[in-house]
Amino acid sequence: MATESARISHAEALDLLLDAESNVHSFTESSSSEQNVRAASFEPVADFGTQAVRFANFGSPEPVETRSCSTTTPPPRRIIQCDVFIAGSGPIGCTYAREILEKCDSSVLRPRNAVYMAEIGAQESPVVGAHLKNAVKYQKDIDAFVHVIQGALQPVSIPVSDTHQSTLGGNSWTPPINSKQNQLVICGQNPQQSREDNLGATAVTRAVGGMATHWTCACPTPHSEETTSSPIPRNELDSLLARARDFVKVDSTVFDKSIRHTTVKDILTTSFPNRNIRSIPLAVQPHSKAESGFVTWSGSDTVLGDIINDPRFTIASEHRVTQLIVHPSFPGTVAGVLMRDLKTDRDVLVHARAYVIACGAVCTPQILYNSDIRPPALGRYLTEQSMAFCQIVLSKKTIQNIQNTQNPAWQALIAQHRKKHPLDPLPIPFRDLDPQVMIPYSSAFPWHAQIHRDAFSYGDVGPRSDPRVVVDLRFFGKGDILENNRVEFSNKAKPEERPEHTDVYGMPQATFHVVRTDEDRDRDQKMMNDMTTVANSLGGYLPGSEPQFMEPGLAMHITGTTRVGSDSKTSVANPCSKVWGFSNLWVGGNNVIPDSTASNPTLTSMAYALKGASDVIQCLQYEYQ
């Protein structure tokens, strides 16, 4: 008996998908060559109502066995069939999934596998997509969570190291002395990346839940100057932002009873009365036992809500989305997805009616590029926030004021703490919640500031000071939008060929070309000066965490690489996040934001995803009219 090959080539995938299509799809008869030409050249096509090819319901939710007519194809394979395929399990992909399953007419969706989600990473929590910081261990010791973040982040583009060792003696192996071959690539380093224009600290998280397994949960509303390029009217965007807040359960009051939070907020309000000091809007909820000192941080599980138990929803972990297969006769139509099951190293095909790629600001354009879907703006107009950072130790005066408080509630908490821990020199209960304060973006101060305590891949306190008196200051600056600020991907001659350079997962290697303008640098310096002024109002610098600019890319708030817009020449997708020239392909994530931002972008990305999901629903329901 012939055995099934583990790998499927691009040609084989196309044969199999077309064979499946002939059995389970129905097409309208009309199709103009003009539409096809526009689709292939990434010009806007007509709305979905006049699109020449429309997918019909597959009927059976079970995979369909297919056999290609080609004599070179492997024995029969099973193709996964669904209504909507989503790549990426972060908050954006989950926003699409929830909105579609909750709002789409159930009669147009299959009873199982209506939404099929693929995630390249593993499920690392018993709760699908949960924030890992909810574990008691990390809520008791926030600095211990630093190592979780460090383990979760995988660098995107690292220039090759200098491997020449002049003192290496004997007969030990060394690369040949040749300019071409002497560039030893170790652990996925990128020989195409220059150090001068790299975003060296940029990293991705590959796990069920994505970055939301360890994000700060900060969800500020963008300033009007952070939405000037948006094709969505501000009143509509505000409505979408409000709905996004509900999805991740944003709350600005959870920390209001904290002694440290209130102290820091009051100091800043008094010192800077015109800066609109406020609590950070956080995707967080109080713990069921408020006296525990714990909170529940939102993750992708929060966004999914009840649909995690919906039989129409499926999530496949450790499946790499390799490429989208574009229909040869209808260039504006995705015919299917080729995936790799990383646990078995076998290829899988998925056939859907609609496709959403929401894998982050680097991996989303990477998948499109690897699929030979390359509109002019792909990867371009990239913006990333600059970041200034320091840590301070609260002043003696501040601690004395807490000790001498006239607030009855604080007095009771301090007395209770003293009774349990009479040797503790600090009048701050161990369960007192961390400060979570922000100075929002303004025209006069065009940056976003967070004064709080949280775990990052940097800035842990360690044994140097009591964490209860340490406060982190993180100031985020926006950058000018430049077309040539971009991420590129290693090329390949043919769809079935391997790129010249690949990342650790076998996808085309990403290379950054990003510079900051003179205006950016001037703004950054003013931001640094502002941070030091704010820091000095609170206390002294923690040794080793004095004011500094962080490595470019460390903010991990890249925007623009598949930006939405009203012009197919300067954007990748239309205002509904549908890729120009395609009838059934959408993108999602911070990468769709066309603006330069300073505040945290996740909430804004979710707002765009809600609009995109509404467009997906319209397309699905139109087929049954």
PDB file of all heavy atoms in Angstrom, residues 588-619:
ATOM      1  N   GLY A 588      -5.304  41.411  10.530  1.00  0.00           N
ATOM      2  CA  GLY A 588      -5.600  42.028  11.813  1.00  0.00           C
ATOM      3  C   GLY A 588      -4.355  42.138  12.668  1.00  0.00           C
ATOM      4  O   GLY A 588      -3.380  41.415  12.468  1.00  0.00           O
ATOM      5  N   GLY A 589      -4.381  43.074  13.613  1.00  0.00           N
ATOM      6  CA  GLY A 589      -3.269  43.253  14.532  1.00  0.00           C
ATOM      7  C   GLY A 589      -2.802  44.692  14.557  1.00  0.00           C
ATOM      8  O   GLY A 589      -3.319  45.568  13.851  1.00  0.00           O
ATOM      9  N   ASN A 590      -1.780  44.974  15.376  1.00  0.00           N
ATOM     10  CA  ASN A 590      -1.214  46.325  15.408  1.00  0.00           C
ATOM     11  C   ASN A 590      -0.732  46.752  14.029  1.00  0.00           C
ATOM     12  O   ASN A 590      -0.645  47.945  13.719  1.00  0.00           O
ATOM     13  CB  ASN A 590      -0.035  46.371  16.386  1.00  0.00           C
ATOM     14  CG  ASN A 590      -0.455  46.114  17.822  1.00  0.00           C
ATOM     15  OD1 ASN A 590      -1.632  46.202  18.161  1.00  0.00           O
ATOM     16  ND2 ASN A 590       0.507  45.799  18.670  1.00  0.00           N
ATOM     17  N   ASN A 591      -0.414  45.767  13.193  1.00  0.00           N
ATOM     18  CA  ASN A 591       0.086  46.027  11.847  1.00  0.00           C
ATOM     19  C   ASN A 591      -0.911  46.734  10.953  1.00  0.00           C
ATOM     20  O   ASN A 591      -0.535  47.303   9.932  1.00  0.00           O
ATOM     21  CB  ASN A 591       0.523  44.716  11.193  1.00  0.00           C
ATOM     22  CG  ASN A 591      -0.367  43.556  11.580  1.00  0.00           C
ATOM     23  OD1 ASN A 591      -0.243  43.030  12.687  1.00  0.00           O
ATOM     24  ND2 ASN A 591      -1.266  43.143  10.693  1.00  0.00           N
ATOM     25  N   VAL A 592      -2.207  46.723  11.275  1.00  0.00           N
ATOM     26  CA  VAL A 592      -3.190  47.402  10.425  1.00  0.00           C
ATOM     27  C   VAL A 592      -3.292  48.886  10.758  1.00  0.00           C
ATOM     28  O   VAL A 592      -3.843  49.664   9.980  1.00  0.00           O
ATOM     29  CB  VAL A 592      -4.597  46.750  10.511  1.00  0.00           C
ATOM     30  CG1 VAL A 592      -4.532  45.266  10.265  1.00  0.00           C
ATOM     31  CG2 VAL A 592      -5.276  47.059  11.838  1.00  0.00           C
ATOM     32  N   ILE A 593      -2.771  49.289  11.915  1.00  0.00           N
ATOM     33  CA  ILE A 593      -2.875  50.694  12.330  1.00  0.00           C
ATOM     34  C   ILE A 593      -2.020  51.556  11.400  1.00  0.00           C
ATOM     35  O   ILE A 593      -0.812  51.344  11.295  1.00  0.00           O
ATOM     36  CB  ILE A 593      -2.423  50.871  13.791  1.00  0.00           C
ATOM     37  CG1 ILE A 593      -3.332  50.064  14.728  1.00  0.00           C
ATOM     38  CG2 ILE A 593      -2.420  52.342  14.179  1.00  0.00           C
ATOM     39  CD1 ILE A 593      -2.884  50.081  16.180  1.00  0.00           C
ATOM     40  N   PRO A 594      -2.613  52.544  10.730  1.00  0.00           N
ATOM     41  CA  PRO A 594      -1.851  53.349   9.765  1.00  0.00           C
ATOM     42  C   PRO A 594      -1.180  54.560  10.384  1.00  0.00           C
ATOM     43  O   PRO A 594      -0.499  55.307   9.690  1.00  0.00           O
ATOM     44  CB  PRO A 594      -2.934  53.789   8.777  1.00  0.00           C
ATOM     45  CG  PRO A 594      -4.166  53.924   9.626  1.00  0.00           C
ATOM     46  CD  PRO A 594      -4.059  52.852  10.687  1.00  0.00           C
ATOM     47  N   ASP A 595      -1.349  54.751  11.694  1.00  0.00           N
ATOM     48  CA  ASP A 595      -0.853  55.945  12.362  1.00  0.00           C
ATOM     49  C   ASP A 595       0.422  55.665  13.152  1.00  0.00           C
ATOM     50  O   ASP A 595       0.744  54.522  13.483  1.00  0.00           O
ATOM     51  CB  ASP A 595      -1.911  56.478  13.328  1.00  0.00           C
ATOM     52  CG  ASP A 595      -3.078  57.108  12.608  1.00  0.00           C
ATOM     53  OD1 ASP A 595      -2.963  58.280  12.203  1.00  0.00           O
ATOM     54  OD2 ASP A 595      -4.109  56.418  12.432  1.00  0.00           O
ATOM     55  N   SER A 596       1.103  56.747  13.489  1.00  0.00           N
ATOM     56  CA  SER A 596       2.180  56.688  14.453  1.00  0.00           C
ATOM     57  C   SER A 596       1.564  56.884  15.832  1.00  0.00           C
ATOM     58  O   SER A 596       0.874  57.864  16.080  1.00  0.00           O
ATOM     59  CB  SER A 596       3.209  57.785  14.182  1.00  0.00           C
ATOM     60  OG  SER A 596       4.177  57.827  15.200  1.00  0.00           O
ATOM     61  N   THR A 597       1.798  55.936  16.726  1.00  0.00           N
ATOM     62  CA  THR A 597       1.180  55.988  18.042  1.00  0.00           C
ATOM     63  C   THR A 597       2.246  56.038  19.129  1.00  0.00           C
ATOM     64  O   THR A 597       3.380  55.614  18.938  1.00  0.00           O
ATOM     65  CB  THR A 597       0.284  54.763  18.287  1.00  0.00           C
ATOM     66  OG1 THR A 597       1.100  53.586  18.349  1.00  0.00           O
ATOM     67  CG2 THR A 597      -0.746  54.607  17.173  1.00  0.00           C
ATOM     68  N   ALA A 598       1.872  56.552  20.277  1.00  0.00           N
ATOM     69  CA  ALA A 598       2.727  56.506  21.457  1.00  0.00           C
ATOM     70  C   ALA A 598       2.082  55.651  22.544  1.00  0.00           C
ATOM     71  O   ALA A 598       2.781  55.009  23.323  1.00  0.00           O
ATOM     72  CB  ALA A 598       2.987  57.916  21.989  1.00  0.00           C
ATOM     73  N   SER A 599       0.767  55.617  22.589  1.00  0.00           N
ATOM     74  CA  SER A 599       0.082  54.813  23.599  1.00  0.00           C
ATOM     75  C   SER A 599       0.000  53.360  23.148  1.00  0.00           C
ATOM     76  O   SER A 599       0.211  53.034  21.980  1.00  0.00           O
ATOM     77  CB  SER A 599      -1.319  55.377  23.858  1.00  0.00           C
ATOM     78  OG  SER A 599      -2.071  55.434  22.664  1.00  0.00           O
ATOM     79  N   ASN A 600      -0.323  52.502  24.085  1.00  0.00           N
ATOM     80  CA  ASN A 600      -0.416  51.066  23.789  1.00  0.00           C
ATOM     81  C   ASN A 600      -1.466  50.811  22.715  1.00  0.00           C
ATOM     82  O   ASN A 600      -2.586  51.308  22.805  1.00  0.00           O
ATOM     83  CB  ASN A 600      -0.777  50.296  25.055  1.00  0.00           C
ATOM     84  CG  ASN A 600       0.106  50.662  26.234  1.00  0.00           C
ATOM     85  OD1 ASN A 600       0.055  51.784  26.713  1.00  0.00           O
ATOM     86  ND2 ASN A 600       0.909  49.739  26.687  1.00  0.00           N
ATOM     87  N   PRO A 601      -1.148  50.023  21.677  1.00  0.00           N
ATOM     88  CA  PRO A 601      -2.029  49.929  20.503  1.00  0.00           C
ATOM     89  C   PRO A 601      -3.043  48.790  20.513  1.00  0.00           C
ATOM     90  O   PRO A 601      -3.873  48.728  19.610  1.00  0.00           O
ATOM     91  CB  PRO A 601      -1.019  49.709  19.365  1.00  0.00           C
ATOM     92  CG  PRO A 601       0.082  48.923  20.004  1.00  0.00           C
ATOM     93  CD  PRO A 601       0.180  49.419  21.422  1.00  0.00           C
ATOM     94  N   THR A 602      -3.005  47.891  21.501  1.00  0.00           N
ATOM     95  CA  THR A 602      -3.837  46.682  21.411  1.00  0.00           C
ATOM     96  C   THR A 602      -5.320  47.009  21.322  1.00  0.00           C
ATOM     97  O   THR A 602      -6.055  46.417  20.519  1.00  0.00           O
ATOM     98  CB  THR A 602      -3.573  45.751  22.604  1.00  0.00           C
ATOM     99  OG1 THR A 602      -2.189  45.389  22.621  1.00  0.00           O
ATOM    100  CG2 THR A 602      -4.411  44.486  22.494  1.00  0.00           C
ATOM    101  N   LEU A 603      -5.796  47.922  22.147  1.00  0.00           N
ATOM    102  CA  LEU A 603      -7.221  48.262  22.131  1.00  0.00           C
ATOM    103  C   LEU A 603      -7.630  48.788  20.759  1.00  0.00           C
ATOM    104  O   LEU A 603      -8.700  48.437  20.237  1.00  0.00           O
ATOM    105  CB  LEU A 603      -7.529  49.295  23.212  1.00  0.00           C
ATOM    106  CG  LEU A 603      -9.014  49.571  23.441  1.00  0.00           C
ATOM    107  CD1 LEU A 603      -9.652  48.425  24.202  1.00  0.00           C
ATOM    108  CD2 LEU A 603      -9.214  50.875  24.219  1.00  0.00           C
ATOM    109  N   THR A 604      -6.781  49.630  20.167  1.00  0.00           N
ATOM    110  CA  THR A 604      -7.069  50.165  18.833  1.00  0.00           C
ATOM    111  C   THR A 604      -7.115  49.049  17.801  1.00  0.00           C
ATOM    112  O   THR A 604      -7.995  49.028  16.923  1.00  0.00           O
ATOM    113  CB  THR A 604      -6.013  51.211  18.439  1.00  0.00           C
ATOM    114  OG1 THR A 604      -5.972  52.241  19.435  1.00  0.00           O
ATOM    115  CG2 THR A 604      -6.325  51.833  17.095  1.00  0.00           C
ATOM    116  N   SER A 605      -6.200  48.105  17.897  1.00  0.00           N
ATOM    117  CA  SER A 605      -6.188  46.973  16.967  1.00  0.00           C
ATOM    118  C   SER A 605      -7.464  46.142  17.095  1.00  0.00           C
ATOM    119  O   SER A 605      -7.992  45.646  16.101  1.00  0.00           O
ATOM    120  CB  SER A 605      -4.969  46.088  17.229  1.00  0.00           C
ATOM    121  OG  SER A 605      -3.775  46.799  17.018  1.00  0.00           O
ATOM    122  N   MET A 606      -7.939  45.996  18.324  1.00  0.00           N
ATOM    123  CA  MET A 606      -9.194  45.261  18.528  1.00  0.00           C
ATOM    124  C   MET A 606     -10.370  46.009  17.898  1.00  0.00           C
ATOM    125  O   MET A 606     -11.287  45.384  17.359  1.00  0.00           O
ATOM    126  CB  MET A 606      -9.430  45.036  20.016  1.00  0.00           C
ATOM    127  CG  MET A 606      -8.474  44.046  20.661  1.00  0.00           C
ATOM    128  SD  MET A 606      -8.802  43.806  22.417  1.00  0.00           S
ATOM    129  CE  MET A 606     -10.455  43.080  22.369  1.00  0.00           C
ATOM    130  N   ALA A 607     -10.328  47.337  17.957  1.00  0.00           N
ATOM    131  CA  ALA A 607     -11.395  48.120  17.328  1.00  0.00           C
ATOM    132  C   ALA A 607     -11.413  47.888  15.821  1.00  0.00           C
ATOM    133  O   ALA A 607     -12.479  47.673  15.220  1.00  0.00           O
ATOM    134  CB  ALA A 607     -11.196  49.605  17.637  1.00  0.00           C
ATOM    135  N   TYR A 608     -10.234  47.897  15.202  1.00  0.00           N
ATOM    136  CA  TYR A 608     -10.163  47.602  13.770  1.00  0.00           C
ATOM    137  C   TYR A 608     -10.642  46.173  13.490  1.00  0.00           C
ATOM    138  O   TYR A 608     -11.286  45.908  12.465  1.00  0.00           O
ATOM    139  CB  TYR A 608      -8.729  47.772  13.262  1.00  0.00           C
ATOM    140  CG  TYR A 608      -8.324  49.197  12.990  1.00  0.00           C
ATOM    141  CD1 TYR A 608      -7.499  49.886  13.881  1.00  0.00           C
ATOM    142  CD2 TYR A 608      -8.740  49.866  11.846  1.00  0.00           C
ATOM    143  CE1 TYR A 608      -7.114  51.198  13.636  1.00  0.00           C
ATOM    144  CE2 TYR A 608      -8.365  51.174  11.596  1.00  0.00           C
ATOM    145  CZ  TYR A 608      -7.553  51.838  12.500  1.00  0.00           C
ATOM    146  OH  TYR A 608      -7.175  53.146  12.243  1.00  0.00           O
ATOM    147  N   ALA A 609     -10.329  45.243  14.386  1.00  0.00           N
ATOM    148  CA  ALA A 609     -10.736  43.854  14.194  1.00  0.00           C
ATOM    149  C   ALA A 609     -12.260  43.713  14.246  1.00  0.00           C
ATOM    150  O   ALA A 609     -12.846  42.905  13.510  1.00  0.00           O
ATOM    151  CB  ALA A 609     -10.080  42.965  15.250  1.00  0.00           C
ATOM    152  N   LEU A 610     -12.899  44.474  15.122  1.00  0.00           N
ATOM    153  CA  LEU A 610     -14.360  44.424  15.191  1.00  0.00           C
ATOM    154  C   LEU A 610     -14.982  44.894  13.882  1.00  0.00           C
ATOM    155  O   LEU A 610     -15.965  44.309  13.396  1.00  0.00           O
ATOM    156  CB  LEU A 610     -14.865  45.277  16.356  1.00  0.00           C
ATOM    157  CG  LEU A 610     -14.637  44.690  17.755  1.00  0.00           C
ATOM    158  CD1 LEU A 610     -14.886  45.738  18.820  1.00  0.00           C
ATOM    159  CD2 LEU A 610     -15.547  43.480  17.967  1.00  0.00           C
ATOM    160  N   LYS A 611     -14.420  45.936  13.292  1.00  0.00           N
ATOM    161  CA  LYS A 611     -14.922  46.411  12.002  1.00  0.00           C
ATOM    162  C   LYS A 611     -14.645  45.370  10.918  1.00  0.00           C
ATOM    163  O   LYS A 611     -15.500  45.109  10.058  1.00  0.00           O
ATOM    164  CB  LYS A 611     -14.270  47.742  11.633  1.00  0.00           C
ATOM    165  CG  LYS A 611     -14.817  48.368  10.343  1.00  0.00           C
ATOM    166  CD  LYS A 611     -14.247  49.755  10.121  1.00  0.00           C
ATOM    167  CE  LYS A 611     -14.769  50.381   8.823  1.00  0.00           C
ATOM    168  NZ  LYS A 611     -16.219  50.621   8.841  1.00  0.00           N
ATOM    169  N   GLY A 612     -13.460  44.767  10.955  1.00  0.00           N
ATOM    170  CA  GLY A 612     -13.139  43.726   9.985  1.00  0.00           C
ATOM    171  C   GLY A 612     -14.049  42.523  10.111  1.00  0.00           C
ATOM    172  O   GLY A 612     -14.508  41.962   9.107  1.00  0.00           O
ATOM    173  N   ALA A 613     -14.332  42.117  11.344  1.00  0.00           N
ATOM    174  CA  ALA A 613     -15.204  40.961  11.566  1.00  0.00           C
ATOM    175  C   ALA A 613     -16.608  41.231  11.036  1.00  0.00           C
ATOM    176  O   ALA A 613     -17.265  40.324  10.489  1.00  0.00           O
ATOM    177  CB  ALA A 613     -15.247  40.627  13.050  1.00  0.00           C
ATOM    178  N   SER A 614     -17.078  42.457  11.200  1.00  0.00           N
ATOM    179  CA  SER A 614     -18.395  42.818  10.658  1.00  0.00           C
ATOM    180  C   SER A 614     -18.414  42.657   9.143  1.00  0.00           C
ATOM    181  O   SER A 614     -19.418  42.201   8.555  1.00  0.00           O
ATOM    182  CB  SER A 614     -18.724  44.257  11.051  1.00  0.00           C
ATOM    183  OG  SER A 614     -19.961  44.661  10.508  1.00  0.00           O
ATOM    184  N   ASP A 615     -17.310  43.001   8.488  1.00  0.00           N
ATOM    185  CA  ASP A 615     -17.214  42.839   7.036  1.00  0.00           C
ATOM    186  C   ASP A 615     -17.192  41.365   6.651  1.00  0.00           C
ATOM    187  O   ASP A 615     -17.821  40.965   5.662  1.00  0.00           O
ATOM    188  CB  ASP A 615     -15.954  43.537   6.533  1.00  0.00           C
ATOM    189  CG  ASP A 615     -15.942  43.704   5.025  1.00  0.00           C
ATOM    190  OD1 ASP A 615     -16.940  44.198   4.468  1.00  0.00           O
ATOM    191  OD2 ASP A 615     -14.924  43.342   4.401  1.00  0.00           O
ATOM    192  N   VAL A 616     -16.490  40.541   7.429  1.00  0.00           N
ATOM    193  CA  VAL A 616     -16.488  39.094   7.179  1.00  0.00           C
ATOM    194  C   VAL A 616     -17.914  38.557   7.263  1.00  0.00           C
ATOM    195  O   VAL A 616     -18.361  37.768   6.409  1.00  0.00           O
ATOM    196  CB  VAL A 616     -15.574  38.362   8.185  1.00  0.00           C
ATOM    197  CG1 VAL A 616     -15.720  36.840   8.026  1.00  0.00           C
ATOM    198  CG2 VAL A 616     -14.122  38.768   7.992  1.00  0.00           C
ATOM    199  N   ILE A 617     -18.638  38.979   8.294  1.00  0.00           N
ATOM    200  CA  ILE A 617     -20.015  38.511   8.481  1.00  0.00           C
ATOM    201  C   ILE A 617     -20.886  38.904   7.295  1.00  0.00           C
ATOM    202  O   ILE A 617     -21.685  38.096   6.789  1.00  0.00           O
ATOM    203  CB  ILE A 617     -20.591  39.090   9.788  1.00  0.00           C
ATOM    204  CG1 ILE A 617     -19.866  38.482  10.994  1.00  0.00           C
ATOM    205  CG2 ILE A 617     -22.094  38.822   9.882  1.00  0.00           C
ATOM    206  CD1 ILE A 617     -20.176  39.174  12.305  1.00  0.00           C
ATOM    207  N   GLN A 618     -20.738  40.122   6.818  1.00  0.00           N
ATOM    208  CA  GLN A 618     -21.517  40.554   5.654  1.00  0.00           C
ATOM    209  C   GLN A 618     -21.235  39.666   4.448  1.00  0.00           C
ATOM    210  O   GLN A 618     -22.158  39.281   3.717  1.00  0.00           O
ATOM    211  CB  GLN A 618     -21.183  42.006   5.315  1.00  0.00           C
ATOM    212  CG  GLN A 618     -21.891  43.044   6.165  1.00  0.00           C
ATOM    213  CD  GLN A 618     -21.672  44.435   5.619  1.00  0.00           C
ATOM    214  OE1 GLN A 618     -20.603  45.015   5.795  1.00  0.00           O
ATOM    215  NE2 GLN A 618     -22.674  44.967   4.948  1.00  0.00           N
ATOM    216  N   CYS A 619     -19.976  39.354   4.253  1.00  0.00           N
ATOM    217  CA  CYS A 619     -19.610  38.510   3.114  1.00  0.00           C
ATOM    218  C   CYS A 619     -20.193  37.112   3.252  1.00  0.00           C
ATOM    219  O   CYS A 619     -20.686  36.528   2.276  1.00  0.00           O
ATOM    220  CB  CYS A 619     -18.092  38.438   2.979  1.00  0.00           C
ATOM    221  SG  CYS A 619     -17.321  40.000   2.481  1.00  0.00           S
TER     222      CYS A 619
END
